Amino acid sequence: MRQRLNILATFNIAVLVSGGGSNLQAIIEQIKNQQLNVKIAVVISDQATAYALSRAQSAHISHHVLLAKPGESREQYSIKLAALLATYPLDLIVLAGFMRILSADFTQRYANKIINLHPSLLPAYKGLNTHARAIKNQERYHGASVHFVTASLDAGPVIIQEKVLITKTDTPQSLKTKVNAIEQRILSKAIKSLSEARQ
Ligand code: GRF
């Protein structure tokens, strides 16, 4: 998917977001601290008010809002997204809190080039509200996973995951905070290992 010749061998990533962008910020910090040798070529949000966009702006990263039109199908949105992505030289697409499901065509086109961050120890707790469900089921551990994106939701091969103990006093919010710390760590680790594997 390296649509343009990338003569400097920079490992270019796109980060797709929908919300606060704490995970985007973690990647930005790792790059600044020279712990991660990649370039964020573009940030794309499907939400106009996502705070992640301000983070991209502050870091002088090219960013776009790509809204879904009312009634637009997953396929139509994915075609628009692919067209926008094709204008950047990219080695990897990172879904960091991107809350939109992409089409099977899209995921097949970018097979092994898209990763997603998910707040659970996959294959457990695919989908939404993972923290509340893990507490309700009295799980001992929860955690986060980074996995390759395939046509099946939250089901692609896991690259890295890390767990955290659920304590008796945990609420969905407190557990989310603990898992978020893990997310920031493992997402950067996954990007680093994929970028180094490319060298
Ligand atoms: C993360 O918890 C991620 O696992 C989930 O959405 C959240 C995004 O957080 N899919 P942020 O926007 O990076 O702060």
Side-chain angles (χ1 to χ4, degrees):
M1 136 191 163
R2 310 191 69 208
Q3 292 108 341
R4 285 191 199 160
L5 188 60
N6 183 6
I7 47 173
L8 294 176
T10 305
F11 191 84
N12 286 293
I13 68 171
V15 183
L16 275 52
V17 296
S18 300
S22 63
N23 291 289
L24 167 66
Q25 190 65 43
I27 300 169
I28 293 171
E29 298 303 327
Q30 291 261 326
I31 294 171
K32 267 192 204 154
N33 299 337
Q34 300 185 331
Q35 288 162 315
L36 193 54
N37 184 20
V38 307
K39 180 181 174 196
I40 304 176
V42 63
V43 169
I44 300 171
S45 171
D46 67 332
Q47 301 294 325
T49 57
Y51 184 63
L53 291 164
S54 308
R55 297 184 191 271
Q57 184 162 20
S58 302
H60 309 289
I61 297 166
S62 173
H63 52 283
H64 302 268
V65 176
L66 190 65
L67 299 177
K69 293 194 184 119
E72 193 169 64
S73 68
R74 181 182 300 176
E75 285 72 23
Q76 287 167 325
Y77 185 86
S78 299
I79 288 168
K80 280 195 325 199
L81 178 59
L84 177 55
L85 289 167
T87 63
Y88 290 89
L90 291 174
D91 298 289
L92 184 69
I93 300 168
V94 178
L95 309 185
F98 185 66
M99 302 306 287
R100 188 165 291 279
I101 300 173
L102 298 166
S103 70
D105 274 358
F106 185 98
T107 57
Q108 276 152 19
R109 173 173 175 177
Y110 297 121
N112 298 316
K113 298 286 182 190
I114 321 180
I115 61 173
N116 180 45
L117 177 62
H118 183 75
S120 80
L121 296 169
L122 290 172
Y125 300 106
K126 296 170 182 168
L128 299 173
N129 304 318
T130 66
H131 312 92
R133 287 191 283 145
I135 291 174
K136 191 171 174 217
N137 289 344
Q138 302 187 321
E139 300 284 1
R140 189 160 161 70
Y141 294 102
H142 195 43
S145 309
V146 179
H147 66 96
F148 285 110
V149 176
T150 61
S152 313
L153 184 67
D154 298 333
V158 170
I159 300 166
I160 184 170
Q161 59 187 190
E162 201 179 307
K163 65 184 179 183
V164 66
L165 195 65
I166 302 179
T167 63
K168 283 196 174 120
T169 56
D170 266 327
T171 61
Q173 188 52 47
S174 71
L175 189 53
K176 187 176 179 193
T177 303
K178 291 199 286 195
V179 169
N180 190 238
I182 292 175
E183 289 177 333
Q184 294 179 19
R185 237 183 350 258
I186 65 171
L187 185 58
S188 293
K189 274 191 191 171
I191 295 169
K192 188 175 167 76
S193 76
L194 292 171
S195 68
E196 288 174 352
R198 206 283 307 271
Q199 308 294 320

